[in-house]
Structures are given as C-alpha cells and as structure tokens.
Amino acid sequence: MASSGSFWMPEQGSTIAADVDTLFDFIYYLNVIFFVLITAATIYFVVKYKRKSDDQLASSNVGHNTALEAAWTFVPLVLVIICFVWGFRVFLDQSVAPANAIEVQVKAERWKWDFQYSNGSQTLNELFAPAGRPVKLVMSAKDVLHSFFVPEFRIKSDVVPNRYTSVWFEAKEPGDYQIYCTEYCGTGHSNMLATVKVLPADEFDKAMLKGEWPGQSGEGRDPVEWGKELYVSKTCNACHSVNGSRLVGPSFKGLFGRDAKFADGSTAKADENYIRESIMDPNAKIVEGYAPAMPSFAGQLSDGQTDALIAYIKSLK
Ligand code: CUA
C-alpha cells in the first residue's frame, strides 16, 4: 500500500491522482489567499473610514481610479483563465483513456455492480484490475441513474441507462480500493458498494487466462461464514434483513424450510432449489406482498458462492 493520504485527501492510488490534487490545492489556496486579503481589507476600511459625523458624507470626495479598476479586473481574469486551461487539461487526461488500456464493461443495477471482462468472465461488486496498466471502464445502467466513484483514484462518472459513459485509471500498486455509488438511486443506495481489487500484473494475466478470479471458489472455507461475508459484499443486505425486519424483499431469517406464499396464489416449500431459483431468476416466484424488484444474479455468482449463500440462509433460523 502506498501512503495513506493527507488530512484532506485519500491516498493517491492512481497515476492521475497527483495532477488532480495539485490543481485542487492551487484553486484551494488561491481562494484562501483572496479570502484573507479581502476580509482583512474590509475590516481595515470599515474601521478607517467609519463615518464620524453627519456632515462628513457631504464633504467626501470619492473619485475614480483607473489603475486600480484595471488591476482588479485584469488579475482575476488571468487567474480564472489559468484555472480553466489547467482544469481542462486535467479533465481531458482523465477522460481520454490511453490506446493500450484494457476494457471492462460495467453494469450498474439497483443495488449492485457487475463487471465483465474481455475473457467472458464476470464478477459482482469486485473489479479486478492489474497494477501499473491502464484500465478503461465502459459503463451503463440497467435501471436508473447511478454514479461510479473511487476516491483513491480520483475518478467519478455518472452511470446512465441507455447510453455509455467511460472513465479510466491506472492503479499504482496492488491493493483494495473502495467503490461508491454517488447518485441517490433508492433505498439500497448506501449499500451499493464495491471494491477495486488491484492485482500484480502477472497475477492478473494468469487469472485472465484461466478465467478464474482470486477468492471466487471459497476453497477450504466454512460455507456459512463465507455466505455471511457474501451477504454483505454481494449487497444482498440492500434488500434482505437477517433479523426478520421487512426491507425491499423478505427477510432471510427463518426463510429456509417455511411455506412460501406467492403473488399468484401458489405455495412452495423454501428449499435449496427455491432459493437458487430466486437468486438466478427472481421473477419466477414473487412472494406475496412484495414487488418484483430483484435483479437476476445469473452468471454473476459462482456455484460456490451460491452454495455459501444458501448455507448462510439455512443457518438463519
Ligand atoms: Cu446506485 Cu446509488
């Protein structure tokens, strides 16, 4: 891991971060300097030119000062032009991905992030990327407006239905970096979290060739423990409680083994097959009293992850 950032800013995790911060500091300190100058001048003049008697106003002789007016017009103009040109350059550097960038397709959907790689594999709420190489994200939303934000990389972009937006980054070092959704998109918005998992470039290449990402098989792990982690990392928690309280969807507590009643009047026992179907094809059976709000997770969860989630749900009696 690189430095942990400053008082103001998170770690500079991408190659663009230092440029963004330098520009931010320039604009910030420019504002601080002018704030201090203007406040000091105001206080000084208020005291110095306080009206001391009623007839003082009539005798005052306030004139015109061309040099002064030219200065307070010209100096700010130059400063604003500097901010514009500098800002536009950094904006272009941020917007235009290098030609050798690898591409990852990003799909945002209430309330999860799905990443699709050029080898055909998919990961959910985990974006795998190589260190020291540019990655271009081509993003769109399936339902409503979302926004993709990685503070350590200083990249942020709206993710919009029916069109593509794109950002790129080059991570400096392997590590985990937080992804936030920064556009209010419904009750699960604050849970719409994901992680950029930056791997050393050779490990990334190996995983791309195998089509298998680290941590997806859960080998040797207790399935209930793993399922409990996945419940959060795959954002099941955006819609399903584990304490019996009602959220967007039914609670997981006591779900396994009970008789579920569906909107069409039919019933079924909630067994492994029912839960699996509900994850992969959520609209097949809608529980009575709930809206058909769940997106499909087909192709986004491995078999092992699905098993672990079922094991965890089973454990919530
Ligand atoms: Cu997606 Cu907020």
Side-chain angles (χ1 to χ4, degrees):
M1 273 270 162
S3 70
S4 57
S6 67
F7 178 74
W8 304 107
M9 290 292 190
E11 175 193 341
Q12 294 177 338
S14 72
T15 49
I16 199 91
D19 293 346
V20 175
D21 290 3
T22 309
L23 175 61
F24 174 85
D25 287 342
F26 174 75
I27 295 173
Y28 178 75
Y29 286 110
L30 199 62
N31 279 283
V32 169
I33 290 165
F34 275 93
F35 174 76
V36 170
L37 284 179
I38 291 168
T39 308
T42 306
I43 293 168
Y44 174 73
F45 289 141
V46 162
V47 173
K48 181 170 182 193
Y49 296 111
K50 185 178 187 311
R51 191 169 71 184
K52 289 175 183 90
S53 64
D54 281 347
D55 55 319
Q56 196 184 11
L57 202 58
S59 67
S60 86
N61 185 21
V62 180
H64 178 85
N65 189 325
T66 307
L68 204 55
E69 286 194 14
W72 77 47
T73 306
F74 189 69
V75 171
L77 181 70
V78 170
L79 291 172
V80 167
I81 288 174
I82 291 173
C83 291
F84 170 74
V85 172
W86 191 350
F88 193 61
R89 289 184 69 120
V90 175
F91 173 77
L92 285 182
D93 287 345
Q94 243 179 355
S95 311
V96 183
N100 63 337
I102 63 159
E103 262 187 38
V104 178
Q105 306 288 320
V106 182
K107 295 272 181 269
E109 187 172 17
R110 292 184 296 175
W111 289 279
K112 61 189 174 79
W113 298 96
D114 173 33
F115 302 101
Q116 298 169 20
Y117 306 85
S118 59
N119 66 357
S121 66
Q122 260 174 294
T123 55
L124 181 63
N125 295 338
E126 285 179 321
L127 166 58
F128 288 93
R133 278 198 226 144
V135 177
K136 181 183 179 187
L137 305 176
V138 180
M139 311 190 288
S140 68
K142 288 187 181 169
D143 39 31
V144 298
L145 187 61
H146 301 272
S147 176
F148 182 91
F149 180 35
V150 185
E152 278 92 348
F153 293 174
R154 310 290 191 273
I155 55 167
K156 189 181 199 178
S157 170
D158 277 4
V159 182
V160 185
N162 299 320
R163 64 176 279 195
Y164 298 102
T165 53
S166 117
V167 284
W168 76 276
F169 63 88
E170 182 177 325
K172 292 203 286 198
E173 286 180 57
D176 288 359
Y177 303 90
Q178 183 71 53
I179 299 169
Y180 295 96
C181 177
T182 42
E183 189 68 61
Y184 181 69
C185 55
T187 53
H189 161 72
S190 58
N191 284 317
M192 194 169 163
L193 303 167
T195 310
V196 188
K197 296 202 162 278
V198 177
L199 306 175
D202 54 332
E203 264 180 53
F204 180 86
D205 290 340
K206 270 186 225 154
M208 275 293 263
L209 274 175
K210 270 173 78 182
E212 217 179 276
W213 300 102
Q216 309 294 294
S217 75
E219 250 170 60
R221 298 206 53 188
D222 174 6
V224 176
E225 281 300 306
W226 192 29
K228 192 176 177 178
E229 271 174 41
L230 294 168
Y231 165 72
V232 176
S233 67
K234 303 306 176 193
T235 53
C236 312
N237 62 346
C239 299
H240 301 279
S241 78
V242 290
N243 61 8
S245 65
R246 184 193 168 107
L247 299 178
V248 178
S251 178
F252 284 168
K253 188 183 164 73
L255 189 157
F256 192 83
R258 78 163 165 232
D259 291 315
K261 261 182 102 179
F262 304 116
D264 62 4
S266 63
T267 58
K269 195 151 201 83
D271 60 4
E272 289 90 344
N273 279 317
Y274 164 71
I275 295 172
R276 190 188 165 80
E277 182 189 54
S278 297
I279 296 170
M280 301 307 169
D281 185 12
N283 290 332
K285 296 188 176 75
I286 302 297
V287 176
E288 192 179 37
Y290 288 91
M294 179 156 158
S296 168
F297 287 75
Q300 299 168 10
L301 292 171
S302 68
D303 285 347
Q305 289 171 335
T306 309
D307 293 346
L309 278 168
I310 293 172
Y312 176 55
I313 291 169
K314 261 175 155 171
S315 76
L316 298 166
K317 300 210 169 74

